[in-house]
Amino acid sequence: MNRRSLLAGVGGLLAAGGVVSSGVLASPAAADPVARPERNDRVEGLLKQMTLAEKLGQLQLLGNETDARTALATGQLGGVFSVVGAAKLNALQRVAVEQTRLRIPLIFGLDVIHGYTTNFPIPLAQGSSFDPAVAGADASVSAKEARRSGIHWTYAPMMDVTHEPRWGRIAEGYGEDPYLATKLAVSKVRGYQGDDYSSPDRLAACAKHFVAYGGAEGGRDYNTVDVSLQRLHNFYLPPFKASVEAGVATVMASFNTISGVPAHGNGYVLHDVLKGAYGFRGFVVSDYTGVEELILHGLAGDGADAAAAALPAGVDMEMVSTNYVRYGQQLLAQRRITRDQIDDAVRRILLVKVKLGLFERPYADEAGEVKAPSPAALAASRQAAGRCMVLLKNDGPVLPLAKTVGSVAVVGPLGTATYDLNGTWSGLGTGAATTPPVTVVDGIKAAAPGATVTYAAGCTVEGTDTSGFAAAQQAARAADVTVVVVGETAAMSGEAAARSTIDLPGVQQQLVAAIKATGKPFVVVLVNGRPLTIPYLHDNAPAILEAWAPGVQGGHAVADVLFGTVNPGGKLPVSFPRAVGQIPIYYNHENTGRPADPANKYTSKYLDLESGPLYEFGFGLSYTTFRVEGLRLSDTRLPARGGRIQVSAKVTNTGTRAGDEVVQLYVRDPVATIVQPVRRLRGFQRVTLAAGASTTVSFTLTPDDVGFYDNAARFRVEPGKIEVYVGTSSAATLTSSFTVV
């Protein structure tokens, strides 16, 4: 079928003109239009007074007190990051506000990723909640604690969508789907910033990493990304576009190249797309030494080249490296950068400082610094962790455990883990490092106070010593049930934590086998920051609970689910592969001309592996059961301009206890000028139903939900059939269709 575009808009042909017909990511012309920050009298007054050196100083962000004081001595510093403690921050601010010529306050930043003092579950776990309110609660609590402790700005949320579980930073994002990532990222931006981020309980947020960082080849951090324009716009960019629309204050450039051009020097993505097409009016900060790294990338020959590439491309503030300050005057004289480019960057940074209220309130109240989690914050973290856990298997069923159980053996190296339950990027805030998470052992003891609870590690997370297996088996034989807690340490995911295999590390799988050999009932609890290849557990463990890294209340939250105080309702935000050789595997893939067919060798599959993931995107069990039926569409035709279709279905709790279900809506365009994914998530609702209760869930589909970007970065809505699938995972079978006209 030959189809023509009916609609080019909604961020269609890019306003900045950076797209050429060949699809090359082009550099911006000096006169290309971008969205300018709104005019502010204070900012304009300062710009008129500032020397070139002072302007360049505002573009500098440093990461320690010593370097900061040196730069402040000449008035050449815009901000400081990774310094914590209200007294330390106030001392630095005092120099800026009371001893520099123009008294411009510093902005203080920190990686407040999933908690400042109170650690929430890692972001990937929050993706499992399929509940934007979980991300919003984390951000709201974190903002209050951090801002009252002197921090103004967080380098979060991370909204890098990825198909690569070997990549350690999958833990920091929301998984493999751009729609899910968008909903949670926007909620987190709003949770950090509120309606007014000058509030003493709010932070300026930073959308990172711009862009396509999650596409790193081989899952190796900082690695190359080679991506088509259509995939860039359809897969990687949507969360950023939505976050700009939600008012995110800042954006961070990514470490990777994008089709041969490093992001820090990529005028197409930063200038043309972000500041041009998306109308972003905040400022762009480099990642750690990201400007300097243009040299090793091979885009720049030296620091002057690096600065000359990054500033015109759209990087406003340089983190750690000092090329803007060092070479800015020289580059301006050589006309390699312009005064307008410098002034635009300074305006953007000063305006964020104005919006933070730093000129009126530059200092933190040291008496109000948050050094320990409040009861309310702990309760919010515990509730979030419970909503994030995913029940992967429950034969028997083994779970939930009876609170009257006589004895429980806890086995595994993570049964008494503390900080590993927090996961990556934790403990940076004041007090966080001195508030250890509740262990799984302690959580079980609290949940079943009448039970005898014993513990045997069995082995370490990464070691090969099996001498502890005998004690673990003895504990299991003596107990009514065993809870085996295995997985990864916190250091095994996050930045610079790629793994070439994603099996259970060390001899933990053998430990599970040893517990199985006892013949006693057991449950496996996974603590990890990425999907793992666990076909052995799937085949041999009676029950598997994916707890991720659940945060400071992790032990209590795990016990809440194990004993049924919380009925698990989380869903996987990322596919679990059967083997590492299957990667990348993801639900929203494009079809081939020869889709996998077990009966036909000459189709797209492995000879030695079953097709499809071990657990698909959106999968998750409950202690009750649900039925989704009665799919209805309000119309069979969707006008390409301004049309709407209501999709509804009835969901019923068919089991014997109250529980949560996530009803998910997927669409597919089976014939298009750009081949479309076999399914795309376009709606989800998490509902709580009593036993036997029913409700109707409804979704609204518009042309935006069925359109896509082509390889000229034009948004297209094409006529033809659209298939709709509704169910409880990406494998949903309840289906209908409508026609775009």
Side-chain angles (χ1 to χ4, degrees), residues 451-597:
T452 299
V453 180
T454 58
Y455 174 68
C459 62
T460 60
V461 171
E462 298 182 76
T464 59
D465 184 3
T466 61
S467 61
F469 283 15
Q473 288 182 306
Q474 182 179 355
R477 290 189 183 100
D480 295 327
V481 66
T482 298
V483 177
V484 185
V485 190
V486 291
E488 299 178 310
T489 65
M492 296 181 77
S493 62
E495 186 171 355
R499 293 182 60 200
S500 63
T501 62
I502 54 173
D503 300 338
L504 279 174
V507 294
Q508 293 180 93
Q509 182 171 297
Q510 292 94 305
L511 175 63
V512 176
I515 298 305
K516 181 191 176 187
T518 66
K520 298 297 290 288
F522 71 99
V523 176
V524 173
V525 174
L526 293 173
V527 175
N528 45 300
R530 57 160 56 79
L532 300 174
T533 46
I534 53 170
Y536 176 84
L537 297 187
H538 175 73
D539 292 339
N540 292 279
I544 307 169
L545 177 66
E546 175 56 86
W548 306 109
V552 70
Q553 289 285 283
H556 285 317
V558 167
D560 287 341
V561 174
L562 291 179
F563 288 92
T565 302
V566 170
N567 189 348
K571 302 285 186 173
L572 292 179
V574 61
S575 304
F576 271 48
R578 298 176 185 276
V580 71
Q582 201 181 25
I583 297 169
I585 184 166
Y586 46 95
Y587 92 91
N588 46 355
H589 61 86
E590 298 157 4
N591 236 341
T592 77
R594 297 186 178 188
D597 178 357

Side-chain angles (χ1 to χ4, degrees), residues 29-50:
D32 280 345
V34 296
R36 303 294 183 181
E38 59 263 39
R39 290 185 65 84
N40 177 272
D41 290 343
R42 185 192 293 274
V43 170
E44 296 307 313
L46 284 169
L47 274 170
K48 290 177 182 177
Q49 299 177 64
M50 294 173 79

Side-chain angles (χ1 to χ4, degrees), residues 258-573:
I258 305 161
S259 300
V261 182
H264 283 74
N266 196 310
Y268 173 71
V269 297
L270 293 174
H271 181 283
D272 297 0
V273 175
L274 180 63
K275 294 181 177 179
Y278 292 176
F280 176 62
R281 299 176 185 274
F283 72 80
V284 175
V285 63
S286 84
D287 208 335
Y288 199 105
T289 67
V291 173
E292 182 85 7
E293 290 171 23
L294 293 176
I295 301 170
L296 285 175
H297 271 297
L299 188 76
D302 55 23
D305 284 351
L311 184 64
V315 177
D316 301 304
M317 178 177 267
E318 182 176 7
M319 182 187 287
V320 180
S321 55
T322 58
N323 298 294
Y324 285 3
V325 167
R326 187 174 300 175
Y327 300 110
Q329 188 167 350
Q330 166 193 326
L331 295 172
L332 184 62
Q334 295 170 342
R335 298 185 179 179
R336 298 178 68 187
I337 62 174
T338 68
R339 190 170 295 274
D340 181 67
Q341 289 166 346
I342 296 170
D343 285 354
D344 181 67
V346 175
R347 272 192 185 93
R348 291 170 182 271
I349 293 164
L350 291 180
L351 189 60
V352 169
K353 292 182 178 183
V354 167
K355 289 184 175 182
L356 279 164
L358 300 185
F359 287 90
E360 293 78 20
R361 299 180 304 281
Y363 303 118
D365 177 4
E366 294 176 25
E369 182 172 1
V370 180
K371 296 185 177 181
S374 69
L378 291 174
S381 176
R382 181 172 178 171
Q383 181 182 35
R387 291 183 72 77
C388 294
M389 293 184 190
V390 185
L391 184 63
L392 298 179
K393 185 179 179 184
N394 191 23
D395 284 356
V398 177
L399 294 174
L401 304 177
K403 293 183 180 180
T404 56
V405 64
S407 57
V408 180
V410 181
V411 165
L414 293 168
T416 56
T418 54
Y419 293 108
D420 286 323
L421 297 188
N422 278 337
T424 184
W425 285 116
S426 61
L428 299 181
T430 49
T434 57
T435 307
V438 176
T439 69
V440 173
V441 167
D442 287 341
I444 289 173
K445 287 179 178 178
T452 299
V453 180
T454 58
Y455 174 68
C459 62
T460 60
V461 171
E462 298 182 76
T464 59
D465 184 3
T466 61
S467 61
F469 283 15
Q473 288 182 306
Q474 182 179 355
R477 290 189 183 100
D480 295 327
V481 66
T482 298
V483 177
V484 185
V485 190
V486 291
E488 299 178 310
T489 65
M492 296 181 77
S493 62
E495 186 171 355
R499 293 182 60 200
S500 63
T501 62
I502 54 173
D503 300 338
L504 279 174
V507 294
Q508 293 180 93
Q509 182 171 297
Q510 292 94 305
L511 175 63
V512 176
I515 298 305
K516 181 191 176 187
T518 66
K520 298 297 290 288
F522 71 99
V523 176
V524 173
V525 174
L526 293 173
V527 175
N528 45 300
R530 57 160 56 79
L532 300 174
T533 46
I534 53 170
Y536 176 84
L537 297 187
H538 175 73
D539 292 339
N540 292 279
I544 307 169
L545 177 66
E546 175 56 86
W548 306 109
V552 70
Q553 289 285 283
H556 285 317
V558 167
D560 287 341
V561 174
L562 291 179
F563 288 92
T565 302
V566 170
N567 189 348
K571 302 285 186 173
L572 292 179

